[in-house]
Amino acid sequence: MSTAAATGPGVPENMRGRIGMASLIVAEISFFAVFIVAYLFYLGKSTTGPQPGEVLKTPIAATICLLASSVTIAIALRALRAGSLGGFRAWWLATILLGAGFLFATALEWHELIHERGLTIATNLFGTTFYSLVGFHALHVTLGLCMLAFVLAASLRGRLQPADAERTEILSWYWHFVDAVWVAVFSVVYLTAR
Amino acid sequence: MSAPRDDGSESIRMPAPTAWPMLLAAGICLGFAGLVTNAIVTVTGAGLAVIAARGWIREVLPVQHLEEVELRPAALRARDVLPSTARVDHLEVGRDGHRMRLPIEIHPWTAGLGGGLIGALVMALVAAAIGVATHGSPWYPINLLAATVMPSLSGAGTATLEAFDPTAFGLASVIHLLASLLVGALYGLILPLVPRHHVLVGGLVAPLFWTGLLWAVLGVLNPALNGRIEWPWFVLSQVAFGLAVGWFVSRREKIATLQDVPLAARAGIEAAGLGPGRDEA
Amino acid sequence: MAVLDRSLASSSPGEAVRLPVASRLHDWVVTADHKKLGLMYIASGLVFFLVAGVMASMMRIQLAFPQNDFLGPNTFNRLMTMHGTTMVFFVGMPMFFGFANYLVPLQIGARDLAFPRLNAFGFWMFLFGGLLLYFSAIGSEGLYGAGSTPDVGWFAYAPLTSRTFSRGNATDYWILGILLSSVGSTATAINLVTTVATMRCPGMTLRRMPLFVWILWVDAILVLFVLSPLTAAQVMLLFDRFLGAHFFDTQAGGSAVLWQHFFWFFGHPEVYVLILPAFAIASEVIPVFSRKPLFGYPIMVAATICIGMISMSVWVHHMFVVGLEPGANTFFAASTMAIAVPTGIKIFNWLGTMWGGRIRFRVPMLWCTAFLVEFVLAGLTGVILATVPIDWQLSDSYFVVAHFHFVLIGGLLFNIFAAIYYWFPKATGRMLDEGLGRKHFFWFVLGFNLTFLPMHVPGLLGMPRRIYTYMPGRGWDAWNLVVTAGVAVQAVGILFFLWNVISSLRGGEPAGDDPWDAWTLEWATTSPPPEYNFEEIPTVRSRRPLWDLKHPEDPDWRWE
Amino acid sequence: MNPGSPVHAIPDMFSPVSAPAEAIRQLWWLLGGISGAILLIVGGVVWWCATRFRALPGEDREPPQVYGSNQIEFAWTIVPVLIVFVLFLATARTIYDVQAMAPPADALEVTLVGHQWWWEIRYPGLGVVTANELHVPASVPGAKRPTFLTLESADVIHSFWVPQLAGKTDVVPARRNRTWVEPTETGTFLGQCAEFCGTQHANMLLRVVVDSPGDFAAWVEAQKRPAVADPLVAAGRAVFESTSCVNCHTVAGTGAKGTFGPDLTHLMSRTTIASGAADNVHAQLRAWIVDPHAIKPGALMPAMKLPDDQVDAVTAYLSTLR
């Protein structure tokens, strides 16, 4: 009895998930690349309103949160592989909290920009490109957090076993990708603004 | 392949049919359609999408939902693929039958490219010599060649053309080298296909052939050169190139050993019976 | 047991157990089977093709005479936009995904795609996206409350698409329809990439994969790279229109040229996304009917990869007239001309395959042979247009229109017809009629050349594209009349085709497993294949597993 | 203006009268020749294969199974590379030849502004403003005078294309593109907008009148005269100036200073109205004032719904703007 789900011989079952996720990440990279190009292209071309250097503060805390979450998710996976479900839950929760911290920092930043600095997406080219790029990144973080939360819920209900480490790792690739995008956004948006 | 079985009770697990992906797609599309219609559509779509996503997840987690598909009865399965009655022809190679291994001793890349380099050098020397002889300047032919891509030179006077121009020198060198290497590689590939008279073909026939082609299109390609060219000298430099490449390539090849084999084999055709066969996969 | 009945019902039309219509429809709607989804892609592509073809015919009637008033300018511009958008996104793309869906698992000896449900999701996103685009005809805010389809051209140049110049929301429908279907296309591309990477049967190394699968694999990877930039650009346009952003707002310092860069960074590779499946089909049909393996398989693979890579660095050749620097124009002229080389190599290899064969000119092979000639002409006019100064004259003229119709009809559509005639027996168990097929071929090829060969001329005589009317006496009148007459001849060919499909579905000659004496794995199973494709996953030892079985005395694996 | 100069009705890139267009025609023959040869060769091979290698009925043998040949592959790679290389060289020179041309000191500078769906034409050095009919001097031996055009757009992307004078250059908002022509023959040459720009893209026509240097100077003088003030058409002028006409149109020396529509100061010096969609004769002009959309559906000029006597008066007034 064989199943349709079987991969080709000699190809480990988990390769499907890995290649599928890698393909998704390729598509996402070219999506973000366009927003990054647009940001750089319009840098300094705004005809009015605040320029990046005048309003942006380097988000050190948020960056540390997000980079640290990549480490904690790796530790969580190692715990899961080692069979320590408790360790997994703790580190996984830490990852979620760090990601939520990042989102909170972004929300604070936006609140200040919009209400105190008067910069909205319609203000000028800087506002347009900034909110689109950072916003799409934040959207991806949010989606990632939803999936992480879903896994945590499954784990708390006892539905996640060490045998699921492979799937969980593929999910962690997505999280690392979101992290890598932030490194690019950080360099392009915040470092050029200084 | 698919051997018929007597036991019809066997089955294969296939992914079960499901409406959730379609409903998720419908939900997402309605969600966006609300942008151009009415907010209620967006709300409906979002709700549908959430329900469908939940349904989909339940279908694949923790284990995906499969259904048993029974195999068809043997009578309805694919027939075995039987040996064909059609005989297969073979290319006949040489005297030793069609399964002999070809003694391929050609090094097209090294020979052709090397020949191209030598030819480039010889041609450049001849052209420079002609430049010195007719205009007292080795830069004259080089500037004319560069005029192919430099509009500033294409309308320039003789004095400008006789002076050294670093940009023109760089461009002309690149054009000259690239063209020479490409033609050299062609020599390396095509000369072994010609049974005899390599030096005649490579040194005279081919240069005359492309000189004729160039003559036809030079007016558009390089008006400056076209206006000033002296064809006998031009042919001379091309023949020098051809002879140098032809000499170099034919010296490197032992093409004499291939003279009695048919064209297909000299051309390196890969075909059943021409290469080395294996007994087991 | 119900499942078994279903497969029986579809496999043996003569003794079918007819299920109620609703139940059969339900089967198609909920299916995750790659073959059913593939057929649905192809069928919906054909429907969109007929709709867009009717639009083209209406435009040609309008242009048959100078200052004709069959259509007004607004109607014409809408038809022109919808024709282009539909043909590219809702005919070309589903044809690629349809044939890939149906054939890739069969050819690599797999039971389904890697993610069957994601496959269904991709199809429905594509279809609903298309339906949303067409819903604009009744749903959008047009003049006087009437619906209005988009009218900004299929590449929707900014700032014509801004709120200022495109009032109402027809342009929003254009954005959303394509954006949603692109999401589906990306999902399906991910699926195909994964399937080919992981689901090949034992023995099927990359070197033994049918070239068809190779090309579609490269094509799917190309889709991953180029489709999301279009999505990103459309999102930007959406932000401009809904949130007051300024991406393409020239009043606020935005750039109209940036949209062109983004659009064509997708748009040019898209041409190759569309034409690569045609290459894949030709690489399958020509060897079988020439009775020889494909000439230069490794070079064909290399050329395919080259085309995929170079196609991402040629987009500026659509923008030679926007006034870029001479350096940029020179670079992109070079890259555009360079892509002619691997494409030429492919043509030569197909010719090399035919050379020395024993060619059987059945209908699929007729289409592929015609394709070779038409596509060479298309490629040559492409090189002519890559010559920047000539492009300054011919860009946005009818010469360009003729050029890309040669690519997309002479290149793509001819091969789609070849594929339909070639694989119809596999999918339905019945042959298409040879006589009707030949009538279809001759009428359509005649009409095609009558339409698009003369169409080059008004372009050379200064006729711009996308004009709904023109002045008499410019030397364009007679040519346009001939072009329109050609459309009528093509329509006759299409009628033969439709009649052939309908009548053969009902009473075509039974096909058997392997009607063409072919060599790839899909012919080793029944026609149509069972839900699970193969009772036992096959094992292959060469590129032509069925040749090995048919010629045990001289199998391929001994020589490869 | 020289009324005897011919109108070249067919905007044909093969009858160039100006330097850039001439360079392009030469390249065309090179490309056309090479392409034609390749098409013939490949077509011939297909024909040969189709006839020579056609299977005979009832033949039950498979041909030799040939996989390929590296040498042949290399050969038919290198030949196209060589051809492409040669074509590229010629292309590169022509690009620089046309695009890198710097305006000489005595070049005529013209600014062409694309509007939906007409052309505004300004001669900044001469103080002349007109619409839809571009006058340029012929470049004759001894008095070579190229015309350099600065292309701007007031709204969306348009494209300047007069095939007999030069290849096209897009007219892009917020961007100043340059192109140039150097016609050597007098006459009227036709062109039109070549980039889709909305409803009336088809009727955004452009005429270029190449005058002899003397005629051109005379034309410039005529354009500098203020609008005629004729008491007979005072009523028409009063209507014109009291309605919203003045919001969009300019008539020099009057209160009409609008810039959305064409400058009407010398309307009667042009042979067409509505950017070429209709001839500039009394009946057409009157019809245009009554309802522009009957001639050019979607045009941005509204139908003013004037009573008949006022239409007559306005038409009479406009007819004096010579």
Side-chain angles (χ1 to χ4, degrees), chain B residues 32 35-36, chain C residues 163 171-173 175-176 179 232-245 247-248:
Chain B
F32 279 94
L35 282 179
V36 282
Chain C
R163 279 256 181 253
T171 302
D172 301 319
Y173 275 92
I175 299 171
L176 291 174
L179 194 143
Q234 289 188 316
V235 167
M236 291 176 183
L237 189 55
L238 212 55
F239 283 1
D240 275 12
R241 289 180 61 88
F242 278 93
L243 303 179
F247 280 107
F248 309 114

PDB file of all heavy atoms in Angstrom, chain B residues 32 35-36, chain C residues 163 171-173 175-176 179 232-245 247-248:
ATOM      1  N   PHE B  32     -11.022  41.021  -0.983  1.00  0.00           N
ATOM      2  CA  PHE B  32     -10.456  42.133  -1.754  1.00  0.00           C
ATOM      3  C   PHE B  32     -11.511  42.804  -2.624  1.00  0.00           C
ATOM      4  O   PHE B  32     -11.436  44.006  -2.870  1.00  0.00           O
ATOM      5  CB  PHE B  32      -9.295  41.647  -2.606  1.00  0.00           C
ATOM      6  CG  PHE B  32      -8.016  41.536  -1.837  1.00  0.00           C
ATOM      7  CD1 PHE B  32      -7.634  40.342  -1.251  1.00  0.00           C
ATOM      8  CD2 PHE B  32      -7.201  42.647  -1.669  1.00  0.00           C
ATOM      9  CE1 PHE B  32      -6.465  40.247  -0.524  1.00  0.00           C
ATOM     10  CE2 PHE B  32      -6.027  42.565  -0.944  1.00  0.00           C
ATOM     11  CZ  PHE B  32      -5.656  41.356  -0.363  1.00  0.00           C
ATOM     12  N   LEU B  35     -13.132  46.025  -1.619  1.00  0.00           N
ATOM     13  CA  LEU B  35     -12.509  47.323  -1.872  1.00  0.00           C
ATOM     14  C   LEU B  35     -13.216  48.078  -2.982  1.00  0.00           C
ATOM     15  O   LEU B  35     -13.249  49.304  -2.984  1.00  0.00           O
ATOM     16  CB  LEU B  35     -11.043  47.120  -2.282  1.00  0.00           C
ATOM     17  CG  LEU B  35     -10.031  46.821  -1.184  1.00  0.00           C
ATOM     18  CD1 LEU B  35      -8.668  46.628  -1.809  1.00  0.00           C
ATOM     19  CD2 LEU B  35      -9.993  47.981  -0.205  1.00  0.00           C
ATOM     20  N   VAL B  36     -13.719  47.361  -3.973  1.00  0.00           N
ATOM     21  CA  VAL B  36     -14.329  48.031  -5.108  1.00  0.00           C
ATOM     22  C   VAL B  36     -15.847  47.885  -5.122  1.00  0.00           C
ATOM     23  O   VAL B  36     -16.485  48.343  -6.056  1.00  0.00           O
ATOM     24  CB  VAL B  36     -13.756  47.496  -6.442  1.00  0.00           C
ATOM     25  CG1 VAL B  36     -12.408  48.110  -6.696  1.00  0.00           C
ATOM     26  CG2 VAL B  36     -13.680  45.997  -6.445  1.00  0.00           C
TER      27      VAL B  36
ATOM     28  N   ARG C 163      -5.753  58.307  -9.815  1.00  0.00           N
ATOM     29  CA  ARG C 163      -7.150  58.723  -9.632  1.00  0.00           C
ATOM     30  C   ARG C 163      -7.513  59.909 -10.528  1.00  0.00           C
ATOM     31  O   ARG C 163      -8.632  60.027 -11.001  1.00  0.00           O
ATOM     32  CB  ARG C 163      -7.368  59.122  -8.172  1.00  0.00           C
ATOM     33  CG  ARG C 163      -7.579  57.951  -7.259  1.00  0.00           C
ATOM     34  CD  ARG C 163      -9.066  57.821  -6.884  1.00  0.00           C
ATOM     35  NE  ARG C 163      -9.273  56.701  -5.990  1.00  0.00           N
ATOM     36  CZ  ARG C 163      -9.837  55.565  -6.352  1.00  0.00           C
ATOM     37  NH1 ARG C 163     -10.254  55.399  -7.587  1.00  0.00           N
ATOM     38  NH2 ARG C 163      -9.999  54.592  -5.482  1.00  0.00           N
ATOM     39  N   THR C 171      -9.922  50.707 -12.965  1.00  0.00           N
ATOM     40  CA  THR C 171      -8.504  50.382 -12.824  1.00  0.00           C
ATOM     41  C   THR C 171      -8.251  49.548 -11.573  1.00  0.00           C
ATOM     42  O   THR C 171      -7.377  48.683 -11.562  1.00  0.00           O
ATOM     43  CB  THR C 171      -7.676  51.677 -12.792  1.00  0.00           C
ATOM     44  OG1 THR C 171      -7.939  52.398 -13.999  1.00  0.00           O
ATOM     45  CG2 THR C 171      -6.198  51.395 -12.686  1.00  0.00           C
ATOM     46  N   ASP C 172      -9.042  49.800 -10.520  1.00  0.00           N
ATOM     47  CA  ASP C 172      -8.892  48.982  -9.317  1.00  0.00           C
ATOM     48  C   ASP C 172      -9.246  47.527  -9.607  1.00  0.00           C
ATOM     49  O   ASP C 172      -8.611  46.613  -9.090  1.00  0.00           O
ATOM     50  CB  ASP C 172      -9.781  49.521  -8.189  1.00  0.00           C
ATOM     51  CG  ASP C 172      -9.425  50.955  -7.856  1.00  0.00           C
ATOM     52  OD1 ASP C 172      -8.235  51.261  -7.834  1.00  0.00           O
ATOM     53  OD2 ASP C 172     -10.348  51.768  -7.664  1.00  0.00           O
ATOM     54  N   TYR C 173     -10.247  47.320 -10.435  1.00  0.00           N
ATOM     55  CA  TYR C 173     -10.587  45.943 -10.827  1.00  0.00           C
ATOM     56  C   TYR C 173      -9.411  45.301 -11.557  1.00  0.00           C
ATOM     57  O   TYR C 173      -9.089  44.135 -11.360  1.00  0.00           O
ATOM     58  CB  TYR C 173     -11.824  45.925 -11.726  1.00  0.00           C
ATOM     59  CG  TYR C 173     -13.120  45.928 -10.962  1.00  0.00           C
ATOM     60  CD1 TYR C 173     -13.766  47.108 -10.658  1.00  0.00           C
ATOM     61  CD2 TYR C 173     -13.691  44.735 -10.543  1.00  0.00           C
ATOM     62  CE1 TYR C 173     -14.948  47.122  -9.962  1.00  0.00           C
ATOM     63  CE2 TYR C 173     -14.882  44.722  -9.846  1.00  0.00           C
ATOM     64  CZ  TYR C 173     -15.507  45.918  -9.554  1.00  0.00           C
ATOM     65  OH  TYR C 173     -16.673  45.915  -8.854  1.00  0.00           O
ATOM     66  N   ILE C 175      -6.256  45.989 -11.180  1.00  0.00           N
ATOM     67  CA  ILE C 175      -5.214  45.664 -10.204  1.00  0.00           C
ATOM     68  C   ILE C 175      -5.596  44.403  -9.441  1.00  0.00           C
ATOM     69  O   ILE C 175      -4.819  43.448  -9.347  1.00  0.00           O
ATOM     70  CB  ILE C 175      -5.013  46.827  -9.213  1.00  0.00           C
ATOM     71  CG1 ILE C 175      -4.580  48.088  -9.955  1.00  0.00           C
ATOM     72  CG2 ILE C 175      -3.998  46.455  -8.155  1.00  0.00           C
ATOM     73  CD1 ILE C 175      -4.568  49.321  -9.074  1.00  0.00           C
ATOM     74  N   LEU C 176      -6.829  44.394  -8.895  1.00  0.00           N
ATOM     75  CA  LEU C 176      -7.201  43.309  -7.989  1.00  0.00           C
ATOM     76  C   LEU C 176      -7.322  41.984  -8.725  1.00  0.00           C
ATOM     77  O   LEU C 176      -6.877  40.952  -8.234  1.00  0.00           O
ATOM     78  CB  LEU C 176      -8.518  43.648  -7.279  1.00  0.00           C
ATOM     79  CG  LEU C 176      -8.395  44.794  -6.272  1.00  0.00           C
ATOM     80  CD1 LEU C 176      -9.761  45.162  -5.727  1.00  0.00           C
ATOM     81  CD2 LEU C 176      -7.462  44.401  -5.140  1.00  0.00           C
ATOM     82  N   LEU C 179      -3.856  40.806  -9.385  1.00  0.00           N
ATOM     83  CA  LEU C 179      -3.135  40.557  -8.135  1.00  0.00           C
ATOM     84  C   LEU C 179      -3.587  39.245  -7.497  1.00  0.00           C
ATOM     85  O   LEU C 179      -2.766  38.424  -7.088  1.00  0.00           O
ATOM     86  CB  LEU C 179      -3.392  41.738  -7.199  1.00  0.00           C
ATOM     87  CG  LEU C 179      -2.505  41.897  -5.974  1.00  0.00           C
ATOM     88  CD1 LEU C 179      -2.253  43.367  -5.743  1.00  0.00           C
ATOM     89  CD2 LEU C 179      -3.138  41.295  -4.754  1.00  0.00           C
ATOM     90  N   ALA C 232       4.017  43.415  -6.115  1.00  0.00           N
ATOM     91  CA  ALA C 232       4.477  44.554  -5.313  1.00  0.00           C
ATOM     92  C   ALA C 232       4.113  45.871  -6.009  1.00  0.00           C
ATOM     93  O   ALA C 232       3.585  46.791  -5.376  1.00  0.00           O
ATOM     94  CB  ALA C 232       5.974  44.461  -5.090  1.00  0.00           C
ATOM     95  N   ALA C 233       4.371  45.957  -7.321  1.00  0.00           N
ATOM     96  CA  ALA C 233       4.081  47.202  -8.032  1.00  0.00           C
ATOM     97  C   ALA C 233       2.582  47.481  -8.011  1.00  0.00           C
ATOM     98  O   ALA C 233       2.160  48.635  -7.874  1.00  0.00           O
ATOM     99  CB  ALA C 233       4.591  47.105  -9.470  1.00  0.00           C
ATOM    100  N   GLN C 234       1.770  46.430  -8.137  1.00  0.00           N
ATOM    101  CA  GLN C 234       0.322  46.646  -8.116  1.00  0.00           C
ATOM    102  C   GLN C 234      -0.152  47.079  -6.737  1.00  0.00           C
ATOM    103  O   GLN C 234      -1.067  47.902  -6.623  1.00  0.00           O
ATOM    104  CB  GLN C 234      -0.395  45.375  -8.554  1.00  0.00           C
ATOM    105  CG  GLN C 234      -0.201  45.112 -10.037  1.00  0.00           C
ATOM    106  CD  GLN C 234      -1.056  43.973 -10.513  1.00  0.00           C
ATOM    107  OE1 GLN C 234      -1.154  42.950  -9.856  1.00  0.00           O
ATOM    108  NE2 GLN C 234      -1.668  44.125 -11.671  1.00  0.00           N
ATOM    109  N   VAL C 235       0.502  46.540  -5.702  1.00  0.00           N
ATOM    110  CA  VAL C 235       0.155  46.984  -4.349  1.00  0.00           C
ATOM    111  C   VAL C 235       0.468  48.473  -4.210  1.00  0.00           C
ATOM    112  O   VAL C 235      -0.316  49.247  -3.645  1.00  0.00           O
ATOM    113  CB  VAL C 235       0.923  46.148  -3.301  1.00  0.00           C
ATOM    114  CG1 VAL C 235       0.828  46.800  -1.941  1.00  0.00           C
ATOM    115  CG2 VAL C 235       0.361  44.748  -3.238  1.00  0.00           C
ATOM    116  N   MET C 236       1.616  48.895  -4.753  1.00  0.00           N
ATOM    117  CA  MET C 236       1.964  50.319  -4.698  1.00  0.00           C
ATOM    118  C   MET C 236       0.890  51.161  -5.384  1.00  0.00           C
ATOM    119  O   MET C 236       0.461  52.194  -4.866  1.00  0.00           O
ATOM    120  CB  MET C 236       3.305  50.554  -5.392  1.00  0.00           C
ATOM    121  CG  MET C 236       4.494  49.980  -4.662  1.00  0.00           C
ATOM    122  SD  MET C 236       5.979  50.226  -5.650  1.00  0.00           S
ATOM    123  CE  MET C 236       7.169  49.397  -4.623  1.00  0.00           C
ATOM    124  N   LEU C 237       0.466  50.697  -6.563  1.00  0.00           N
ATOM    125  CA  LEU C 237      -0.551  51.439  -7.300  1.00  0.00           C
ATOM    126  C   LEU C 237      -1.844  51.497  -6.492  1.00  0.00           C
ATOM    127  O   LEU C 237      -2.530  52.527  -6.446  1.00  0.00           O
ATOM    128  CB  LEU C 237      -0.769  50.757  -8.651  1.00  0.00           C
ATOM    129  CG  LEU C 237      -1.633  51.488  -9.664  1.00  0.00           C
ATOM    130  CD1 LEU C 237      -1.105  52.886  -9.901  1.00  0.00           C
ATOM    131  CD2 LEU C 237      -1.643  50.716 -10.980  1.00  0.00           C
ATOM    132  N   LEU C 238      -2.148  50.384  -5.839  1.00  0.00           N
ATOM    133  CA  LEU C 238      -3.346  50.322  -4.994  1.00  0.00           C
ATOM    134  C   LEU C 238      -3.231  51.338  -3.859  1.00  0.00           C
ATOM    135  O   LEU C 238      -4.194  52.051  -3.550  1.00  0.00           O
ATOM    136  CB  LEU C 238      -3.469  48.899  -4.441  1.00  0.00           C
ATOM    137  CG  LEU C 238      -4.845  48.327  -4.192  1.00  0.00           C
ATOM    138  CD1 LEU C 238      -5.696  48.403  -5.428  1.00  0.00           C
ATOM    139  CD2 LEU C 238      -4.723  46.889  -3.730  1.00  0.00           C
ATOM    140  N   PHE C 239      -2.052  51.418  -3.233  1.00  0.00           N
ATOM    141  CA  PHE C 239      -1.834  52.407  -2.169  1.00  0.00           C
ATOM    142  C   PHE C 239      -2.021  53.815  -2.723  1.00  0.00           C
ATOM    143  O   PHE C 239      -2.618  54.671  -2.076  1.00  0.00           O
ATOM    144  CB  PHE C 239      -0.423  52.263  -1.596  1.00  0.00           C
ATOM    145  CG  PHE C 239      -0.264  51.101  -0.650  1.00  0.00           C
ATOM    146  CD1 PHE C 239      -1.329  50.253  -0.384  1.00  0.00           C
ATOM    147  CD2 PHE C 239       0.948  50.854  -0.014  1.00  0.00           C
ATOM    148  CE1 PHE C 239      -1.196  49.185   0.478  1.00  0.00           C
ATOM    149  CE2 PHE C 239       1.083  49.779   0.855  1.00  0.00           C
ATOM    150  CZ  PHE C 239       0.027  48.949   1.100  1.00  0.00           C
ATOM    151  N   ASP C 240      -1.476  54.049  -3.935  1.00  0.00           N
ATOM    152  CA  ASP C 240      -1.652  55.368  -4.543  1.00  0.00           C
ATOM    153  C   ASP C 240      -3.124  55.699  -4.696  1.00  0.00           C
ATOM    154  O   ASP C 240      -3.563  56.806  -4.415  1.00  0.00           O
ATOM    155  CB  ASP C 240      -0.991  55.403  -5.932  1.00  0.00           C
ATOM    156  CG  ASP C 240       0.482  55.738  -5.849  1.00  0.00           C
ATOM    157  OD1 ASP C 240       1.018  55.721  -4.735  1.00  0.00           O
ATOM    158  OD2 ASP C 240       1.096  56.011  -6.890  1.00  0.00           O
ATOM    159  N   ARG C 241      -3.889  54.726  -5.144  1.00  0.00           N
ATOM    160  CA  ARG C 241      -5.276  55.012  -5.473  1.00  0.00           C
ATOM    161  C   ARG C 241      -6.187  55.046  -4.244  1.00  0.00           C
ATOM    162  O   ARG C 241      -7.178  55.765  -4.225  1.00  0.00           O
ATOM    163  CB  ARG C 241      -5.809  53.994  -6.481  1.00  0.00           C
ATOM    164  CG  ARG C 241      -5.205  54.163  -7.875  1.00  0.00           C
ATOM    165  CD  ARG C 241      -5.764  53.144  -8.851  1.00  0.00           C
ATOM    166  NE  ARG C 241      -7.195  53.275  -9.023  1.00  0.00           N
ATOM    167  CZ  ARG C 241      -7.777  54.058  -9.907  1.00  0.00           C
ATOM    168  NH1 ARG C 241      -7.064  54.766 -10.720  1.00  0.00           N
ATOM    169  NH2 ARG C 241      -9.086  54.131  -9.981  1.00  0.00           N
ATOM    170  N   PHE C 242      -5.844  54.243  -3.218  1.00  0.00           N
ATOM    171  CA  PHE C 242      -6.753  54.170  -2.081  1.00  0.00           C
ATOM    172  C   PHE C 242      -6.279  54.984  -0.888  1.00  0.00           C
ATOM    173  O   PHE C 242      -7.072  55.506  -0.129  1.00  0.00           O
ATOM    174  CB  PHE C 242      -6.956  52.713  -1.647  1.00  0.00           C
ATOM    175  CG  PHE C 242      -7.965  52.000  -2.471  1.00  0.00           C
ATOM    176  CD1 PHE C 242      -7.588  51.267  -3.576  1.00  0.00           C
ATOM    177  CD2 PHE C 242      -9.311  52.079  -2.157  1.00  0.00           C
ATOM    178  CE1 PHE C 242      -8.522  50.625  -4.353  1.00  0.00           C
ATOM    179  CE2 PHE C 242     -10.250  51.442  -2.925  1.00  0.00           C
ATOM    180  CZ  PHE C 242      -9.852  50.713  -4.034  1.00  0.00           C
ATOM    181  N   LEU C 243      -4.967  55.069  -0.679  1.00  0.00           N
ATOM    182  CA  LEU C 243      -4.459  55.704   0.539  1.00  0.00           C
ATOM    183  C   LEU C 243      -3.807  57.038   0.251  1.00  0.00           C
ATOM    184  O   LEU C 243      -3.242  57.660   1.137  1.00  0.00           O
ATOM    185  CB  LEU C 243      -3.453  54.776   1.232  1.00  0.00           C
ATOM    186  CG  LEU C 243      -3.977  53.378   1.592  1.00  0.00           C
ATOM    187  CD1 LEU C 243      -2.887  52.551   2.234  1.00  0.00           C
ATOM    188  CD2 LEU C 243      -5.162  53.505   2.547  1.00  0.00           C
ATOM    189  N   GLY C 244      -3.811  57.463  -0.999  1.00  0.00           N
ATOM    190  CA  GLY C 244      -3.182  58.739  -1.303  1.00  0.00           C
ATOM    191  C   GLY C 244      -1.667  58.684  -1.257  1.00  0.00           C
ATOM    192  O   GLY C 244      -1.014  59.704  -1.060  1.00  0.00           O
ATOM    193  N   ALA C 245      -1.087  57.518  -1.427  1.00  0.00           N
ATOM    194  CA  ALA C 245       0.370  57.431  -1.491  1.00  0.00           C
ATOM    195  C   ALA C 245       0.857  58.033  -2.809  1.00  0.00           C
ATOM    196  O   ALA C 245       0.062  58.358  -3.693  1.00  0.00           O
ATOM    197  CB  ALA C 245       0.806  55.972  -1.364  1.00  0.00           C
ATOM    198  N   PHE C 247       3.628  56.828  -4.908  1.00  0.00           N
ATOM    199  CA  PHE C 247       4.639  56.060  -5.640  1.00  0.00           C
ATOM    200  C   PHE C 247       4.778  56.543  -7.078  1.00  0.00           C
ATOM    201  O   PHE C 247       5.873  56.759  -7.575  1.00  0.00           O
ATOM    202  CB  PHE C 247       4.277  54.571  -5.647  1.00  0.00           C
ATOM    203  CG  PHE C 247       4.633  53.868  -4.386  1.00  0.00           C
ATOM    204  CD1 PHE C 247       3.657  53.483  -3.491  1.00  0.00           C
ATOM    205  CD2 PHE C 247       5.952  53.585  -4.098  1.00  0.00           C
ATOM    206  CE1 PHE C 247       3.993  52.821  -2.317  1.00  0.00           C
ATOM    207  CE2 PHE C 247       6.292  52.920  -2.935  1.00  0.00           C
ATOM    208  CZ  PHE C 247       5.305  52.539  -2.033  1.00  0.00           C
ATOM    209  N   PHE C 248       3.650  56.686  -7.751  1.00  0.00           N
ATOM    210  CA  PHE C 248       3.713  57.027  -9.174  1.00  0.00           C
ATOM    211  C   PHE C 248       3.040  58.372  -9.433  1.00  0.00           C
ATOM    212  O   PHE C 248       2.535  58.626 -10.515  1.00  0.00           O
ATOM    213  CB  PHE C 248       3.083  55.918 -10.016  1.00  0.00           C
ATOM    214  CG  PHE C 248       3.634  54.561  -9.664  1.00  0.00           C
ATOM    215  CD1 PHE C 248       2.842  53.585  -9.091  1.00  0.00           C
ATOM    216  CD2 PHE C 248       4.972  54.282  -9.893  1.00  0.00           C
ATOM    217  CE1 PHE C 248       3.368  52.352  -8.748  1.00  0.00           C
ATOM    218  CE2 PHE C 248       5.511  53.048  -9.548  1.00  0.00           C
ATOM    219  CZ  PHE C 248       4.711  52.084  -8.975  1.00  0.00           C
TER     220      PHE C 248
END
